[in-house]
Tab-separated table of all heavy atoms in Angstrom:
chain	number	residue	atom	x	y	z
A	39	GLN	N	-15.009	-16.106	14.175
A	39	GLN	CA	-15.873	-15.020	13.713
A	39	GLN	C	-16.562	-15.472	12.397
A	39	GLN	O	-16.223	-16.452	11.838
A	39	GLN	CB	-14.994	-13.733	13.464
A	39	GLN	CG	-14.158	-13.311	14.661
A	39	GLN	CD	-14.985	-12.864	15.884
A	39	GLN	OE1	-16.080	-12.305	15.631
A	39	GLN	NE2	-14.414	-12.966	17.001
A	43	PHE	N	-16.859	-11.301	8.401
A	43	PHE	CA	-15.875	-10.518	9.184
A	43	PHE	C	-14.434	-10.877	8.747
A	43	PHE	O	-13.651	-9.982	8.597
A	43	PHE	CB	-16.057	-10.745	10.677
A	43	PHE	CG	-15.034	-10.001	11.538
A	43	PHE	CD1	-15.206	-8.685	11.847
A	43	PHE	CD2	-13.875	-10.680	11.935
A	43	PHE	CE1	-14.216	-8.050	12.521
A	43	PHE	CE2	-12.949	-10.001	12.747
A	43	PHE	CZ	-13.074	-8.692	12.990
A	211	TYR	N	-19.423	-4.807	3.915
A	211	TYR	CA	-19.571	-5.500	5.204
A	211	TYR	C	-20.763	-4.905	6.040
A	211	TYR	O	-21.658	-5.582	6.564
A	211	TYR	CB	-18.261	-5.445	6.022
A	211	TYR	CG	-18.360	-6.123	7.346
A	211	TYR	CD1	-18.455	-7.528	7.465
A	211	TYR	CD2	-18.267	-5.360	8.545
A	211	TYR	CE1	-18.579	-8.084	8.683
A	211	TYR	CE2	-18.337	-5.962	9.764
A	211	TYR	CZ	-18.434	-7.360	9.835
A	211	TYR	OH	-18.547	-7.952	11.115
A	212	PHE	N	-20.672	-3.595	6.167
A	212	PHE	CA	-21.736	-2.969	7.033
A	212	PHE	C	-23.067	-2.901	6.329
A	212	PHE	O	-24.155	-3.009	6.984
A	212	PHE	CB	-21.249	-1.594	7.435
A	212	PHE	CG	-20.178	-1.541	8.461
A	212	PHE	CD1	-18.960	-0.977	8.141
A	212	PHE	CD2	-20.382	-2.046	9.733
A	212	PHE	CE1	-17.902	-0.935	9.089
A	212	PHE	CE2	-19.368	-2.014	10.666
A	212	PHE	CZ	-18.068	-1.520	10.368
A	215	GLY	N	-25.240	-5.922	6.903
A	215	GLY	CA	-25.607	-6.243	8.292
A	215	GLY	C	-24.480	-6.492	9.244
A	215	GLY	O	-24.683	-6.874	10.431
A	216	GLY	N	-23.241	-6.382	8.752
A	216	GLY	CA	-22.097	-6.596	9.600
A	216	GLY	C	-21.912	-5.561	10.680
A	216	GLY	O	-22.399	-4.439	10.578
A	217	SER	N	-21.167	-5.881	11.721
A	217	SER	CA	-20.925	-4.904	12.792
A	217	SER	C	-19.614	-5.202	13.395
A	217	SER	O	-18.851	-6.201	13.038
A	217	SER	CB	-22.039	-5.028	13.868
A	217	SER	OG	-21.901	-6.314	14.491
A	218	LEU	N	-19.178	-4.351	14.347
A	218	LEU	CA	-17.952	-4.583	15.079
A	218	LEU	C	-18.246	-4.763	16.548
A	218	LEU	O	-17.693	-4.131	17.440
A	218	LEU	CB	-16.937	-3.394	14.899
A	218	LEU	CG	-16.391	-3.168	13.435
A	218	LEU	CD1	-15.555	-2.011	13.381
A	218	LEU	CD2	-15.631	-4.428	12.917
A	219	ALA	N	-19.192	-5.600	16.770
A	219	ALA	CA	-19.647	-5.900	18.109
A	219	ALA	C	-18.657	-6.686	18.915
A	219	ALA	O	-17.821	-7.420	18.356
A	219	ALA	CB	-20.993	-6.634	18.091
A	220	GLY	N	-18.701	-6.597	20.240
A	220	GLY	CA	-17.853	-7.294	21.158
A	220	GLY	C	-16.340	-7.071	20.897
A	220	GLY	O	-15.990	-5.860	20.846
A	221	LEU	N	-15.624	-8.094	20.635
A	221	LEU	CA	-14.196	-7.939	20.436
A	221	LEU	C	-13.852	-7.621	19.067
A	221	LEU	O	-12.638	-7.404	18.766
A	221	LEU	CB	-13.491	-9.274	20.851
A	221	LEU	CG	-13.210	-9.498	22.394
A	221	LEU	CD1	-12.557	-10.904	22.519
A	221	LEU	CD2	-12.283	-8.488	22.967
A	222	GLN	N	-14.769	-7.594	18.152
A	222	GLN	CA	-14.460	-7.457	16.717
A	222	GLN	C	-13.694	-6.205	16.424
A	222	GLN	O	-12.771	-6.134	15.587
A	222	GLN	CB	-15.687	-7.588	15.852
A	222	GLN	CG	-16.242	-8.993	15.828
A	222	GLN	CD	-17.511	-9.083	14.942
A	222	GLN	OE1	-18.232	-8.113	14.809
A	222	GLN	NE2	-17.732	-10.248	14.345
A	223	GLY	N	-14.122	-5.083	17.013
A	223	GLY	CA	-13.398	-3.844	16.825
A	223	GLY	C	-12.035	-3.872	17.283
A	223	GLY	O	-11.089	-3.393	16.649
A	224	ILE	N	-11.820	-4.525	18.461
A	224	ILE	CA	-10.406	-4.624	19.011
A	224	ILE	C	-9.556	-5.573	18.095
A	224	ILE	O	-8.399	-5.232	17.852
A	224	ILE	CB	-10.437	-5.180	20.426
A	224	ILE	CG1	-11.143	-4.228	21.370
A	224	ILE	CG2	-9.076	-5.503	20.964
A	224	ILE	CD1	-11.400	-4.754	22.705
A	225	ILE	N	-10.166	-6.645	17.629
A	225	ILE	CA	-9.465	-7.567	16.813
A	225	ILE	C	-9.005	-6.886	15.526
A	225	ILE	O	-7.833	-6.979	15.001
A	225	ILE	CB	-10.388	-8.785	16.367
A	225	ILE	CG1	-10.660	-9.642	17.578
A	225	ILE	CG2	-9.762	-9.586	15.256
A	225	ILE	CD1	-11.708	-10.673	17.405
Side-chain angles (χ1 to χ4, degrees):
Q39 305 292 333
F43 175 82
Y211 177 69
F212 287 117
S217 68
L218 295 178
L221 280 176
Q222 289 181 330
I224 297 174
I225 292 168

